[in-house]
C-alpha cells in the first residue's frame, strides 16, 4: 500500500521529483506533527484570493488553469497547481491549498492549510496599495480572523496546537522592486536600492515577529527569484539573456534575508526553513534542457510576452511541460514542481 501511494505521488509531482521520497516526507511530517501549511505572499502562491477583489491583478479565466483539475481557472497565476499545492500534497494534507477568500471555503478545509496570499502584494504595504490587492498586514489580519474561526470549531487550545505545529510559508518580494521601486516614483525618491532593501528587511522582521506572536513556530522562507530573468523584464531592459543588474539586486537581497533569518532564529526560538530558489531558477533558465525544458526565454501563452489580462482567450504552446514560464512573468506548473522539491528538501534537512 505504501509503495502504491509513493508511485501515485511521484506521478503527481512529475519526473523531476525522483530525488524526493514522498514516503519519507510524510514520515517526517508525522514525526514532527506537521498539522498544515499556512501561506502568505504574492502571485507565486495566490490560489485565487484576488478573484474577490476590485483589481486587474486577477487571472480567473482561461488559459490560466488549463491544466488544473477539469481545466478550471481558479485564479492561480499558472496553468495548473502552485508549488504550495504540491508541497501540501507531498505532506499528505490536501491536493490543493484553498484561498481564504474563496466563498465556497468549507470548515473541513480549514484544517488542511490555507493561503492568504494576494497577487501583486509585497513586504512594502505600498506595493499592495498600488494594485489594490491584499497587503501583508491585511493577510495577517485575515489569519487572526481564521484563528478565531478555527477556535470556534475545535476550541482555543486545540486551535493553538494546530497553529503551533503548522508550517508558515512566506513567498514575496519581487513586486516590491518590479511594480513599486522601479516603476512608481515614491520609493525610488526616498531610498537608494540598498536602503530600500533594508526597508523591506525591516518590514519583513516586523511581520515575522507578528506571526510569531500569533503562534508561528515554523517558518518556511522563500528567497527572491532572479527577477532579471523574467521574460517581460528581459524585453523591457533590452537583454538577450537575464538582466545582470536586476539579478544582482535579487542576490544581495537574498543575502540580507538570510542574515535576518539567522538573527531571528535564536531570538524568537523559531525553526526556519530557507528555500534558496535564486540559483535553482537561474540554472534552469540558463540550462533548460538539463531540467527537461526547451524554452526559458518566453512564456507559453500567446507570443510569450503577455501576462494576466492580456492573456485572456489566447492560445498556448503545444507542450506546456517544456516551458519554464507560463506567461511573461509567472512559472508553469512544471517549474513549480521543481521549486516544490527544493522547498521539501529544505524541510527535510531542517527537521533532520
Amino acid at each position: 500500500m505504501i509503495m502504491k501511494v509513493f508511485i501515485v505521488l511521484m506521478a503527481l509531482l512529475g519526473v523531476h521529483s525522483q530525488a524526493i521520497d514522498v514516503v519519507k516526507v510524510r514520515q517526517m511530517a508525522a514525526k514532527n506533527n506537521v498539522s498544515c501549511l499556512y501561506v502568505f505572499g504574492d502571485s507565486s502562491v495566490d490560489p485565487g484570493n484576488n478573484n474577490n477583489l476590485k483589481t486587474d491583478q486577477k487571472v480567473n479565466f482561461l488559459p490560466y488553469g488549463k491544466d488544473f483539475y477539469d481545466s478550471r481557472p481558479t485564479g492561480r497565476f499558472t496553468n495548473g497547481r502552485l508549488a504550495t499545492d504540491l508541497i501540501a500534497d507531498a505532506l499528505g494534507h490536501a491536493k490543493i491549498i484553498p484561498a481564504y477568500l474563496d466563498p465556497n471555503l468549507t470548515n473541513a478545509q480549514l484544517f488542511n492549510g490555507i493561503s492568504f496570499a494576494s497577487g501583486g502584494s509585497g513586504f512594502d504595504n505600498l506595493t499592495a496599495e498600488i494594485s489594490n490587492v491584499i497587503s501583508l498586514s491585511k493577510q495577517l489580519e485575515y489569519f487572526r480572523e481564521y484563528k478565531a474561526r478555527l477556535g470556534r470549531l475545535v476550541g482555543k487550545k486545540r486551535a493553538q496546537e494546530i497553529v503551533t505545529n503548522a508550517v508558515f510559508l512566506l513567498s514575496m518580494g519581487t513586486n516590491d522592486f518590479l511594480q513599486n521601486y522601479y516603476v512608481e516614483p515614491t520609493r525610488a525618491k526616498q531610498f537608494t536600492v540598498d536602503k530600500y532593501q533594508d526597508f523591506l528587511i525591516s518590514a519583513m522582521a516586523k511581520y515575522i515577529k507578528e506571526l510569531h506572536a500569533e503562534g508561528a513556530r515554523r517558518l518556511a522562507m522563500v528567497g527572491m527569484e532572479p527577477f532579471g530573468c523574467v521574460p517581460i523584464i528581459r524585453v523591457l531592459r533590452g537583454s538577450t539573456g537575464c538582466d545582470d543588474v536586476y539579478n544582482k539586486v535579487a542576490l544581495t537581497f537574498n543575502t540580507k534575508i538570510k542574515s535576518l533569518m539567522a538573527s531571528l532564529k535564536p531570538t524568537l526560538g523559531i525553526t526556519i526553513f530557507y528555500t534558496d530558489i535564486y540559483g535553482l531558477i537561474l540554472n534552469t533558465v540558463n540550462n533548460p534542457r538539463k531540467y527537461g525544458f526547451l524554452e526559458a526565454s518566453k512564456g507559453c501563452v500567446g507570443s510569450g510576452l503577455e501576462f494576466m489580462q492580456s492573456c485572456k482567450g489566447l492560445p498556448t504552446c503545444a507542450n506546456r511541460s517544456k516551458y519554464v514560464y507560463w506567461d511573461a512573468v509567472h512559472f508553469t506548473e512544471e517549474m513549480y514542481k521543481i521549486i516544490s522539491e527544493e522547498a521539501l528538501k529544505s524541510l527535510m534537512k531542517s527537521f533532520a
Side-chain angles (χ1 to χ4, degrees), residues 32 46 60 101 158 178 195 199 220 251 259 270 279 286 294 304 341 350:
N32 293 280
D46 179 3
N60 53 346
L101 296 185
R158 176 57 184 147
L178 295 186
K195 293 300 181 184
F199 174 81
L251 193 59
S259 294
I270 189 171
N286 288 333
L294 296 177
E341 291 165 17
S350 297

PDB file of all heavy atoms in Angstrom, residues 32 46 60 101 158 178 195 199 220 251 259 270 279 286 294 304 341 350:
ATOM      1  N   ASN A  32       7.058  14.944  13.197  1.00  0.00           N
ATOM      2  CA  ASN A  32       7.122  16.300  13.753  1.00  0.00           C
ATOM      3  C   ASN A  32       5.746  16.953  13.898  1.00  0.00           C
ATOM      4  O   ASN A  32       5.649  18.157  14.116  1.00  0.00           O
ATOM      5  CB  ASN A  32       8.026  17.165  12.872  1.00  0.00           C
ATOM      6  CG  ASN A  32       9.475  16.733  12.926  1.00  0.00           C
ATOM      7  OD1 ASN A  32      10.190  17.061  13.859  1.00  0.00           O
ATOM      8  ND2 ASN A  32       9.907  15.972  11.928  1.00  0.00           N
ATOM      9  N   ASP A  46      -0.672  32.677  -4.668  1.00  0.00           N
ATOM     10  CA  ASP A  46      -2.083  33.069  -4.556  1.00  0.00           C
ATOM     11  C   ASP A  46      -2.951  32.084  -5.333  1.00  0.00           C
ATOM     12  O   ASP A  46      -2.871  32.012  -6.555  1.00  0.00           O
ATOM     13  CB  ASP A  46      -2.271  34.481  -5.104  1.00  0.00           C
ATOM     14  CG  ASP A  46      -3.725  34.961  -5.060  1.00  0.00           C
ATOM     15  OD1 ASP A  46      -4.593  34.214  -4.551  1.00  0.00           O
ATOM     16  OD2 ASP A  46      -3.994  36.075  -5.534  1.00  0.00           O
ATOM     17  N   ASN A  60      -8.743  34.748 -13.236  1.00  0.00           N
ATOM     18  CA  ASN A  60      -9.789  33.723 -13.124  1.00  0.00           C
ATOM     19  C   ASN A  60     -10.457  33.465 -14.473  1.00  0.00           C
ATOM     20  O   ASN A  60     -11.672  33.496 -14.610  1.00  0.00           O
ATOM     21  CB  ASN A  60     -10.819  34.134 -12.066  1.00  0.00           C
ATOM     22  CG  ASN A  60     -11.384  35.529 -12.308  1.00  0.00           C
ATOM     23  OD1 ASN A  60     -10.846  36.305 -13.094  1.00  0.00           O
ATOM     24  ND2 ASN A  60     -12.465  35.860 -11.632  1.00  0.00           N
ATOM     25  N   LEU A 101     -10.263  33.675   0.893  1.00  0.00           N
ATOM     26  CA  LEU A 101     -11.433  34.460   0.488  1.00  0.00           C
ATOM     27  C   LEU A 101     -12.367  33.707  -0.460  1.00  0.00           C
ATOM     28  O   LEU A 101     -13.337  34.288  -0.941  1.00  0.00           O
ATOM     29  CB  LEU A 101     -10.982  35.773  -0.171  1.00  0.00           C
ATOM     30  CG  LEU A 101     -10.224  36.761   0.729  1.00  0.00           C
ATOM     31  CD1 LEU A 101      -9.958  38.059  -0.028  1.00  0.00           C
ATOM     32  CD2 LEU A 101     -10.991  37.038   2.017  1.00  0.00           C
ATOM     33  N   ARG A 158      -7.038  23.548  21.174  1.00  0.00           N
ATOM     34  CA  ARG A 158      -6.746  22.694  20.023  1.00  0.00           C
ATOM     35  C   ARG A 158      -6.352  23.550  18.813  1.00  0.00           C
ATOM     36  O   ARG A 158      -5.424  23.186  18.067  1.00  0.00           O
ATOM     37  CB  ARG A 158      -7.970  21.832  19.681  1.00  0.00           C
ATOM     38  CG  ARG A 158      -7.816  20.963  18.439  1.00  0.00           C
ATOM     39  CD  ARG A 158      -6.623  20.039  18.527  1.00  0.00           C
ATOM     40  NE  ARG A 158      -6.419  19.288  17.308  1.00  0.00           N
ATOM     41  CZ  ARG A 158      -5.232  18.925  16.842  1.00  0.00           C
ATOM     42  NH1 ARG A 158      -4.125  19.237  17.517  1.00  0.00           N
ATOM     43  NH2 ARG A 158      -5.114  18.252  15.720  1.00  0.00           N
ATOM     44  N   LEU A 178       9.794  45.282  -8.843  1.00  0.00           N
ATOM     45  CA  LEU A 178       9.344  45.433 -10.225  1.00  0.00           C
ATOM     46  C   LEU A 178       8.107  46.312 -10.388  1.00  0.00           C
ATOM     47  O   LEU A 178       8.002  47.065 -11.358  1.00  0.00           O
ATOM     48  CB  LEU A 178       9.080  44.048 -10.843  1.00  0.00           C
ATOM     49  CG  LEU A 178      10.307  43.154 -11.003  1.00  0.00           C
ATOM     50  CD1 LEU A 178       9.944  41.883 -11.747  1.00  0.00           C
ATOM     51  CD2 LEU A 178      11.429  43.893 -11.744  1.00  0.00           C
ATOM     52  N   LYS A 195      19.147  50.882   0.395  1.00  0.00           N
ATOM     53  CA  LYS A 195      18.354  51.320   1.547  1.00  0.00           C
ATOM     54  C   LYS A 195      16.920  50.808   1.458  1.00  0.00           C
ATOM     55  O   LYS A 195      16.285  50.536   2.489  1.00  0.00           O
ATOM     56  CB  LYS A 195      18.358  52.850   1.649  1.00  0.00           C
ATOM     57  CG  LYS A 195      19.720  53.447   1.996  1.00  0.00           C
ATOM     58  CD  LYS A 195      20.227  52.927   3.340  1.00  0.00           C
ATOM     59  CE  LYS A 195      21.577  53.530   3.705  1.00  0.00           C
ATOM     60  NZ  LYS A 195      22.120  52.946   4.970  1.00  0.00           N
ATOM     61  N   PHE A 199      14.805  48.638   4.108  1.00  0.00           N
ATOM     62  CA  PHE A 199      13.431  48.983   4.476  1.00  0.00           C
ATOM     63  C   PHE A 199      12.535  47.744   4.417  1.00  0.00           C
ATOM     64  O   PHE A 199      11.724  47.492   5.318  1.00  0.00           O
ATOM     65  CB  PHE A 199      12.902  50.066   3.531  1.00  0.00           C
ATOM     66  CG  PHE A 199      11.454  50.407   3.704  1.00  0.00           C
ATOM     67  CD1 PHE A 199      11.030  51.271   4.716  1.00  0.00           C
ATOM     68  CD2 PHE A 199      10.493  49.870   2.854  1.00  0.00           C
ATOM     69  CE1 PHE A 199       9.682  51.590   4.872  1.00  0.00           C
ATOM     70  CE2 PHE A 199       9.143  50.179   3.002  1.00  0.00           C
ATOM     71  CZ  PHE A 199       8.740  51.045   4.019  1.00  0.00           C
ATOM     72  N   ALA A 220       8.776  28.734   6.771  1.00  0.00           N
ATOM     73  CA  ALA A 220       9.427  28.399   5.505  1.00  0.00           C
ATOM     74  C   ALA A 220       9.563  29.695   4.712  1.00  0.00           C
ATOM     75  O   ALA A 220       8.584  30.245   4.231  1.00  0.00           O
ATOM     76  CB  ALA A 220       8.602  27.379   4.733  1.00  0.00           C
ATOM     77  N   LEU A 251      20.016  39.010  -5.682  1.00  0.00           N
ATOM     78  CA  LEU A 251      21.031  38.226  -4.980  1.00  0.00           C
ATOM     79  C   LEU A 251      21.447  38.896  -3.667  1.00  0.00           C
ATOM     80  O   LEU A 251      21.550  38.231  -2.626  1.00  0.00           O
ATOM     81  CB  LEU A 251      22.246  38.041  -5.892  1.00  0.00           C
ATOM     82  CG  LEU A 251      23.280  37.005  -5.457  1.00  0.00           C
ATOM     83  CD1 LEU A 251      22.654  35.621  -5.340  1.00  0.00           C
ATOM     84  CD2 LEU A 251      24.438  36.976  -6.457  1.00  0.00           C
ATOM     85  N   SER A 259      20.601  36.784   6.508  1.00  0.00           N
ATOM     86  CA  SER A 259      21.147  37.394   7.734  1.00  0.00           C
ATOM     87  C   SER A 259      20.029  37.636   8.745  1.00  0.00           C
ATOM     88  O   SER A 259      20.204  37.404   9.944  1.00  0.00           O
ATOM     89  CB  SER A 259      21.839  38.723   7.405  1.00  0.00           C
ATOM     90  OG  SER A 259      22.983  38.513   6.619  1.00  0.00           O
ATOM     91  N   ILE A 270      12.430  30.098  16.842  1.00  0.00           N
ATOM     92  CA  ILE A 270      11.595  29.645  15.731  1.00  0.00           C
ATOM     93  C   ILE A 270      12.435  28.806  14.769  1.00  0.00           C
ATOM     94  O   ILE A 270      13.612  29.094  14.558  1.00  0.00           O
ATOM     95  CB  ILE A 270      10.979  30.874  15.006  1.00  0.00           C
ATOM     96  CG1 ILE A 270       9.920  30.459  13.975  1.00  0.00           C
ATOM     97  CG2 ILE A 270      12.061  31.731  14.358  1.00  0.00           C
ATOM     98  CD1 ILE A 270       9.146  31.635  13.416  1.00  0.00           C
ATOM     99  N   GLY A 279      19.470  30.379  -7.259  1.00  0.00           N
ATOM    100  CA  GLY A 279      20.371  29.557  -8.062  1.00  0.00           C
ATOM    101  C   GLY A 279      19.637  28.517  -8.878  1.00  0.00           C
ATOM    102  O   GLY A 279      19.991  28.246 -10.029  1.00  0.00           O
ATOM    103  N   ASN A 286      19.208  29.167 -17.605  1.00  0.00           N
ATOM    104  CA  ASN A 286      20.435  29.118 -18.416  1.00  0.00           C
ATOM    105  C   ASN A 286      20.705  27.742 -19.021  1.00  0.00           C
ATOM    106  O   ASN A 286      21.398  27.640 -20.040  1.00  0.00           O
ATOM    107  CB  ASN A 286      21.634  29.544 -17.565  1.00  0.00           C
ATOM    108  CG  ASN A 286      21.630  31.031 -17.259  1.00  0.00           C
ATOM    109  OD1 ASN A 286      21.085  31.822 -18.025  1.00  0.00           O
ATOM    110  ND2 ASN A 286      22.219  31.415 -16.139  1.00  0.00           N
ATOM    111  N   LEU A 294      12.541  23.095 -22.867  1.00  0.00           N
ATOM    112  CA  LEU A 294      13.054  23.510 -24.166  1.00  0.00           C
ATOM    113  C   LEU A 294      13.071  25.025 -24.315  1.00  0.00           C
ATOM    114  O   LEU A 294      13.842  25.562 -25.101  1.00  0.00           O
ATOM    115  CB  LEU A 294      12.202  22.892 -25.295  1.00  0.00           C
ATOM    116  CG  LEU A 294      12.220  21.371 -25.412  1.00  0.00           C
ATOM    117  CD1 LEU A 294      11.278  20.922 -26.520  1.00  0.00           C
ATOM    118  CD2 LEU A 294      13.645  20.879 -25.695  1.00  0.00           C
ATOM    119  N   GLY A 304       4.191  34.898 -25.934  1.00  0.00           N
ATOM    120  CA  GLY A 304       5.156  34.635 -24.878  1.00  0.00           C
ATOM    121  C   GLY A 304       5.508  35.867 -24.082  1.00  0.00           C
ATOM    122  O   GLY A 304       6.268  35.797 -23.111  1.00  0.00           O
ATOM    123  N   GLU A 341      10.077  20.785  -4.912  1.00  0.00           N
ATOM    124  CA  GLU A 341      11.073  19.801  -4.479  1.00  0.00           C
ATOM    125  C   GLU A 341      12.169  20.463  -3.649  1.00  0.00           C
ATOM    126  O   GLU A 341      12.613  19.921  -2.633  1.00  0.00           O
ATOM    127  CB  GLU A 341      11.703  19.128  -5.701  1.00  0.00           C
ATOM    128  CG  GLU A 341      10.761  18.217  -6.463  1.00  0.00           C
ATOM    129  CD  GLU A 341      11.305  17.884  -7.842  1.00  0.00           C
ATOM    130  OE1 GLU A 341      12.509  18.079  -8.061  1.00  0.00           O
ATOM    131  OE2 GLU A 341      10.524  17.438  -8.696  1.00  0.00           O
ATOM    132  N   SER A 350      16.023  20.575   7.603  1.00  0.00           N
ATOM    133  CA  SER A 350      15.878  21.289   8.866  1.00  0.00           C
ATOM    134  C   SER A 350      15.254  20.428   9.956  1.00  0.00           C
ATOM    135  O   SER A 350      15.540  20.605  11.133  1.00  0.00           O
ATOM    136  CB  SER A 350      15.028  22.546   8.654  1.00  0.00           C
ATOM    137  OG  SER A 350      15.668  23.441   7.776  1.00  0.00           O
TER     138      SER A 350
END
